[in-house]
Amino acid sequence: MDRNKFAIIAICIALVMILGQFAGVRAFVERGNNTEVDSFAFRLLTGLIDGEDSKVTQVTGDGRDTLSREEILLREIRQAAIQRRVEPVDAVVDRVWKAIPGYNGQEVDIERTYEQAKRLPKDTPIPYVYKEITPKVMLDDLGPQPIYRGNPNKPMVALMINVAWGNEFLVPMLDTLDEMGAKATFFLDGSWLNKNEQLALEIKKRGHQIENHAYSHPNMSQLESTRARLEITKTKNLLQERLGVENRWFAPPSGDFNQQTVKLAAEEGLKTVLWTVDTVDWKKPPASAIVSKIDSKIAAGSLVLMHPTASSRDALKDMVKVIRSKGLTLGTVEQTLSSDRVEQP
């Protein structure tokens, strides 16, 4: 055999061996990914091997399937949706904390996520779009129950400021809340509102929630039902007439109430709310003591009781800083006790 023929045979043998090795690598890669195509790099590799840009060959348990890139993207989103789903939490009546609101879960909105993702370059991370899942049991389903806190899974805290006196401290506190970009819930005593309508309108103008603190600051548990109902309804009507506020929450003066109070408030469409953490600012503690208490006791779902006092005025800015430093968002009572999700900043 002359040298030319020998060279041709050697080259052919080498080509066969190279092609065999390449095919073996591909088979190995495909066997290692026989359930789902996970990475853009693998999808690109298989697309190049198949010699086309719009189709990808995927090996499944049933054999080889040729899928479009959009079909593989949709499969990837559906698989991720299973892993990313967060189940909702039902509202419950706790032995200690009484009514605790539920908290929405969330799931991937597959259709909206797919529509956004398919328009992006192939190496762009998928921008997942979510929708909320409501609990099977909501706060309204629990019947007339007092509420002391929000759901501990919700990273939000509310400041509830009961107002029956302390006018000189209100505007400075409003200014601090404005400076910090925070909102609070003010529970107004009806007799105070009667005398201080312009100040109440200023609270509303600043964007804060305004609710019911009875009319004459009585001990609600000591009142017969007719008088107790009047304390609630008189302030409820004033909030609507003077401020245009639709009243939804009732905070009993001094935290004094009984089941009759809760039931009467519920009959008027109001939920009875108390507090998780008490600043006890009416005892005139130093501002540092209030901030220290917030630092040690605040947690997701906490409702913080305050009044317009010098102590709270001086502590307010640092209170907000401490709450936010713990990854908690400040909201109103309405927001904190809703089941709506809030993401940590």
Side-chain angles (χ1 to χ4, degrees), residues 100-173:
I100 298 179
Y103 190 42
N104 290 355
Q106 68 177 11
E107 63 182 351
V108 174
D109 188 322
I110 294 174
E111 183 177 346
R112 289 177 62 196
T113 299
Y114 171 68
E115 289 300 321
Q116 289 193 24
K118 73 178 183 180
R119 293 192 293 266
L120 298 174
K122 285 179 285 188
D123 58 347
T124 304
I126 296 173
Y128 287 97
V129 180
Y130 293 91
K131 56 185 176 182
E132 298 195 9
I133 313 168
T134 56
K136 293 179 180 178
V137 182
M138 301 290 284
L139 191 59
D140 287 342
D141 299 324
L142 302 182
Q145 297 282 346
I147 305 165
Y148 288 84
R149 60 163 305 130
N151 193 289
N153 295 288
K154 183 170 183 173
M156 181 173 276
V157 168
L159 304 179
M160 47 187 301
I161 304 173
N162 292 349
V163 182
W165 36 264
N167 292 13
E168 66 270 36
F169 306 112
L170 268 172
V171 171
M173 290 176 73

Side-chain angles (χ1 to χ4, degrees), residues 55-110:
K55 296 288 184 179
V56 175
T57 297
Q58 180 181 5
V59 178
T60 67
D62 299 327
R64 289 169 66 91
D65 292 327
T66 301
L67 304 175
S68 70
R69 294 191 183 281
E70 290 186 350
E71 287 171 326
I72 286 186
L73 174 63
L74 187 56
R75 284 194 178 189
E76 184 174 346
I77 292 169
R78 284 174 174 162
Q79 183 178 11
I82 297 172
Q83 300 169 343
R84 290 170 176 260
R85 180 182 172 91
V86 178
E87 295 299 328
V89 180
D90 286 341
V92 296
V93 178
D94 184 77
R95 184 175 62 85
V96 175
W97 294 107
K98 304 305 178 185
I100 298 179
Y103 190 42
N104 290 355
Q106 68 177 11
E107 63 182 351
V108 174
D109 188 322
I110 294 174

Side-chain angles (χ1 to χ4, degrees), residues 291 294-295 298 317-326:
V291 175
I294 295 300
D295 188 35
I298 204 72
K317 187 172 184 177
D318 286 336
M319 288 172 63
V320 173
K321 288 180 179 179
V322 166
I323 289 168
R324 288 175 172 166
S325 73
K326 295 178 180 292

Side-chain angles (χ1 to χ4, degrees), residues 237-251:
N237 293 337
L238 271 176
L239 289 171
Q240 178 62 55
E241 294 165 5
R242 303 287 184 86
L243 305 179
V245 166
E246 183 181 345
N247 183 202
R248 292 182 294 272
W249 304 88
F250 172 67

